Structures are given as structure tokens and as C-alpha cells.
Amino acid sequence: MSEEFPEWCPKNFWNGVRISPEFPIVAKIPGEHNENYLFFIGFGYNSQIELVSYYCNESSLELMREQILTEYDEIPEYFVAVYEVAGFDRASSKVNMKYFKEINKDMYKQYNPSESIK
């Protein structure tokens, strides 16, 4: 980085500033009674805002679609995805999908809570 700083900027402004990655999760899962749940799970403010923005942007949705279609024949109805969001101080520089997996629509048929309580 250049040693030239604007007059108003302290010389040590960038000292100690670190890019910190976060790994938020997005999951679309089936409910027990044919309802859908969509979760945006972020551990910090930065990742939460960035993921919602990512899912609301047409160009990023197209990129996500292309990435998913390299592994699947069609976009799965239910899924879990893990992203890497890198940035600092509520300013993100990138969002990358790190993991994507289809969730079985019948996931609740293998578990019935009422049967486990006796």
C-alpha cells in the first residue's frame, strides 16, 4: 500500500485493519406440513447484509445458478449453502459460494418426534 495518505487521514489509519472472513449459511428447507423455510444465518452484521444483497441481485443470482448447475441437472428445490464473505468494518469485498448441497424433500419422513417420546 502506498505511504501517501490524504491530509485528513492519520498515518496509521490502515495499521491493524484485517480482512476478516465470515462463513454465513443459507438454507431452504421443507416444513413438516408442506411449508417452506428460508434461513439466512450470519455470524456478523457484515455477512447478513451481504448475503441478503447477494440473493437480491440479478447478476449474483445468475452466477450462483451457473455454479449450482455444474453439479446438478436443475436447481434443487431445497438446499443448504455456505458462503465466504470477506471484508472489514461492515464493508465487504467478496462473496463466494464454498459449499452447496441438496436437501431431501422428504427429510421429515425419517424422523417423527411423537414416536421418540414414550
Side-chain angles (χ1 to χ4, degrees):
M1 178 172 279
S2 170
E3 291 299 319
E4 298 296 319
F5 290 96
E7 189 176 295
W8 52 267
C9 183
K11 299 270 186 264
N12 63 353
F13 180 77
W14 291 106
N15 291 352
V17 173
R18 290 178 276 140
I19 301 292
S20 59
E22 295 181 42
F23 296 93
I25 299 166
V26 175
K28 182 181 177 200
I29 62 172
E32 191 171 356
H33 302 290
N34 296 321
E35 70 275 26
N36 295 314
Y37 295 102
L38 183 62
F39 294 96
F40 286 84
I41 306 162
F43 302 102
Y45 177 84
N46 189 38
S47 63
Q48 295 167 7
I49 295 299
E50 205 55 40
L51 267 188
V52 171
S53 218
Y54 190 77
Y55 271 73
C56 293
N57 182 300
E58 190 174 337
S59 62
S60 59
L61 285 174
E62 182 58 32
L63 175 63
M64 185 184 348
R65 181 182 171 285
E66 290 171 7
Q67 288 177 304
I68 294 167
L69 291 177
T70 62
E71 301 285 326
Y72 296 90
D73 294 333
E74 60 184 11
I75 305 294
E77 186 175 5
Y78 301 107
F79 62 87
V80 63
V82 178
Y83 295 86
E84 178 183 27
V85 176
F88 63 94
D89 195 25
R90 298 185 183 173
S92 295
S93 59
K94 67 177 182 171
V95 176
N96 291 321
M97 186 187 311
K98 293 295 195 181
Y99 175 83
F100 185 91
K101 183 174 179 170
E102 181 175 14
I103 293 177
N104 185 340
K105 180 179 181 177
D106 298 323
M107 67 184 275
Y108 286 109
K109 289 185 180 177
Q110 62 192 354
Y111 172 72
N112 185 343
S114 64
E115 290 178 0
S116 65
I117 301 172
K118 296 185 181 199

